[in-house]
Amino acid sequence: MGKIQLAYSTFGLTNLDFFAALDAVDAAGYEGVEVSFHRRQFNPFELGDHDLLAVRQHFARLRVQPACIATASHFFDPQRPHEPSLMALEYAARKRRIDLVRRGIHVARMLGVKLVTFGSGFVRDDHAAHPEINPTELLVESIRECLSAIHAEEDITLLIEPEPGMHIETLAQGLALMQAVDSPKFKLHIDICHAYCSEANYIEALADAAPHARYLHISDARQGWNLQIRHDSELLRFDLAHASTLVHFPDTADFLLLDPAHAIHFADGQPTPARQRRIAELLRQAGTSAPLHTVDYASLPTARGPLDDEIFTYLISVPGLSYDVLERARPAIAWLRGAQGQPLIERMVAHTRTGIVHFHEVPGEGTLDFAASFKALTDHGFDGWGAIELYHHVDDWQAALHASHRHLTPLLA
């Protein structure tokens, strides 16, 4: 039977100096700390070997150990946090991410860490425009280029972390990618929250994947309002019991919400007769009996507010669309969630296979069954680090750090 050692990610401590973050995790009683790349706090492009030696010396003075190097999907552009990815169409773009992962391998070597993790990235609008290019093939080639930086005699393993909406989203897809790469130095990183979002039966999926996993991410989550965003097309199909749909009309950049309880057209002006007919057709096709309302797009909220983190996290998880379309949808979603006035939609917005919101909550504040998750993993062969990753709680990091430890430690005894 395996054992899970509890760690905390510096990605949830980015308001602190890096050494202060290590000290805080150590003082809170954790066994390990995940070293996450960050443009300000821990930037591998600005750190030389003498800096990494200082980090290793700092760890030597602490009880806490470095568990894993996380190469940070959010690293390059905070507004387009997963770009460029390892499957970007242009090699120069892929090369930027490859260089980041390879720097992760070097940092692991310098700090004596055995694990380096990354995500696949998303299929974006440029992929959709070039169906002749297989993103999986690009991903496999990029991973092999990253792996070439690991010396044959080194005990360093590269890990893929499936994530909601990404090209590698489910644990089964992660396992298939492992087979395609076919390297003993390439394994699976399970994020329990992601599994909760993406797997029909996440406990069974965790048990199946456990023998192939070398690392965990831990956070809580809960049910939300599942919303898809789709371009208008004759191929559109709806299942409103699973997810509401925000239909984007490319010719006018307006949106139509199709929901069991709401039908709303967000538009800049009066629709043409042709658009009115199309909207009526989509309402019939979706099977919603909700009366149609029109909201002037210019009246929608655009100022920053407390919903920003939720909506931004949602938008960047929607594949296949340009960032311009996603940004255009932002005010409509903010309006629905109550950014000005009473919310029409009470629950947080989600874009997942299960309707669970991909928003990392403090353990104990959501509905994920940690006891059953940990048992499924350790009973089926997982043995290693589990790092709490709470990047949505950097402002209340002290409460999140200590509450997570209090909630999870008894479950791991």
Side-chain angles (χ1 to χ4, degrees):
M1 183 172 177
K3 178 184 177 183
I4 297 171
Q5 293 177 277
L6 201 58
Y8 201 90
S9 176
T10 60
F11 201 26
L13 302 168
T14 52
N15 284 350
L16 301 179
D17 168 80
F18 179 71
F19 289 122
L22 301 185
D23 294 345
V25 177
D26 186 68
Y30 288 86
E31 297 176 80
V33 60
E34 174 185 279
V35 175
S36 181
F37 287 174
H38 187 267
R39 287 174 301 111
R40 296 188 310 274
Q41 189 193 62
F42 194 85
N43 188 330
F45 293 99
E46 297 177 356
L47 297 172
D49 286 355
H50 63 287
D51 299 303
L52 297 176
L53 179 59
V55 172
R56 185 161 187 159
Q57 291 169 341
H58 192 85
F59 269 115
R61 295 191 290 269
L62 302 176
R63 179 190 45 79
V64 76
Q65 302 175 47
C68 179
I69 307 300
T71 60
S73 292
H74 292 225
F75 183 82
F76 289 110
D77 184 342
Q79 297 307 310
R80 301 184 176 190
H82 302 288
E83 307 301 327
S85 75
L86 289 175
M87 54 186 197
L89 295 190
E90 188 177 8
Y91 182 57
R94 296 197 302 278
K95 192 68 175 175
R96 292 180 69 200
R97 183 68 63 174
I98 290 167
D99 288 347
L100 184 68
V101 175
R102 288 170 68 101
R103 283 176 185 267
I105 292 168
H106 179 71
V107 171
R109 180 180 298 126
M110 292 293 295
L111 299 186
V113 179
K114 296 182 179 182
L115 303 173
V116 178
T117 187
F118 69 96
S120 68
F122 291 85
V123 170
R124 294 297 186 194
D125 57 320
D126 53 350
H127 293 96
H130 292 277
E132 74 280 5
I133 300 176
N134 186 333
T136 302
E137 292 178 358
L138 297 178
L139 181 58
V140 169
E141 291 173 6
S142 295
I143 292 170
R144 288 176 175 159
E145 189 168 345
C146 293
L147 285 167
S148 68
I150 302 175
H151 304 153
E153 70 281 3
E154 286 185 309
D155 185 12
I156 296 177
T157 302
L158 197 59
L159 307 172
I160 180 67
E161 178 185 9
E163 181 164 335
M166 283 195 175
H167 186 55
I168 303 300
E169 179 176 25
T170 67
L171 294 174
Q173 289 170 338
L175 294 173
L177 182 65
M178 278 179 51
Q179 290 183 329
V181 173
D182 192 24
S183 168
K185 294 184 181 293
F186 183 62
K187 299 295 181 182
L188 188 64
H189 167 178
I190 296 175
D191 186 309
I192 299 175
C193 170
H194 295 175
Y196 192 30
C197 293
S198 301
E199 307 290 348
N201 186 323
Y202 71 101
I203 301 298
E204 287 186 4
L206 292 174
D208 291 342
H212 310 282
R214 296 294 180 269
Y215 191 60
L216 304 177
H217 267 167
I218 301 169
S219 62
D220 217 334
R222 68 187 75 197
Q223 189 72 35
W225 175 58
N226 218 16
L227 177 68
Q228 300 177 343
I229 306 178
R230 298 286 186 268
H231 289 309
D232 183 32
S233 164
E234 294 300 324
L235 301 177
L236 271 180
R237 299 294 180 268
F238 305 99
D239 179 3
L240 299 189
H242 169 68
S244 300
T245 300
L246 194 63
V247 179
H248 172 245
F249 298 104
D251 59 335
T252 52
D254 53 336
F255 294 91
L256 174 67
L257 174 66
L258 297 169
D259 175 86
H262 308 287
I264 303 172
H265 185 209
F266 300 95
D268 282 318
Q270 279 295 112
T272 64
R275 179 54 42 81
Q276 291 176 337
R277 290 191 296 272
R278 178 58 178 159
I279 288 173
E281 180 183 353
L282 290 169
L283 291 170
R284 286 194 300 272
Q285 186 179 341
T288 181
S289 58
L292 178 65
H293 297 282
T294 299
V295 173
D296 180 12
Y297 186 91
S299 72
L300 297 175
T302 55
R304 293 186 59 82
L307 294 168
D308 287 356
D309 200 16
E310 171 196 335
I311 295 171
F312 176 72
T313 303
Y314 163 80
L315 289 172
I316 62 174
S317 73
V318 178
L321 300 174
S322 72
Y323 278 94
D324 293 316
V325 171
L326 296 174
E327 282 299 317
R328 177 81 175 165
R330 182 196 294 266
I333 298 169
W335 183 87
L336 290 165
R337 287 285 291 121
Q340 59 182 36
Q342 288 295 112
L344 206 63
I345 304 297
E346 296 282 351
R347 290 182 295 178
M348 294 176 70
V349 64
H351 183 273
T352 64
R353 293 178 177 228
T354 63
I356 300 297
V357 184
H358 180 208
F359 193 89
H360 290 210
E361 303 277 12
V362 174
E365 296 185 0
T367 54
L368 194 152
D369 189 335
F370 287 104
S373 298
F374 293 158
K375 187 176 189 309
L377 289 161
T378 56
D379 281 358
H380 291 84
F382 179 81
D383 188 273
W385 292 105
I388 298 162
E389 187 193 37
L390 297 176
Y391 54 87
H392 292 123
H393 296 272
V394 295
D395 291 332
D396 59 339
W397 67 267
Q398 288 176 302
L401 179 71
H402 295 285
S404 299
H405 193 270
R406 282 195 305 271
H407 185 76
L408 295 176
T409 298
L411 301 178
L412 297 172

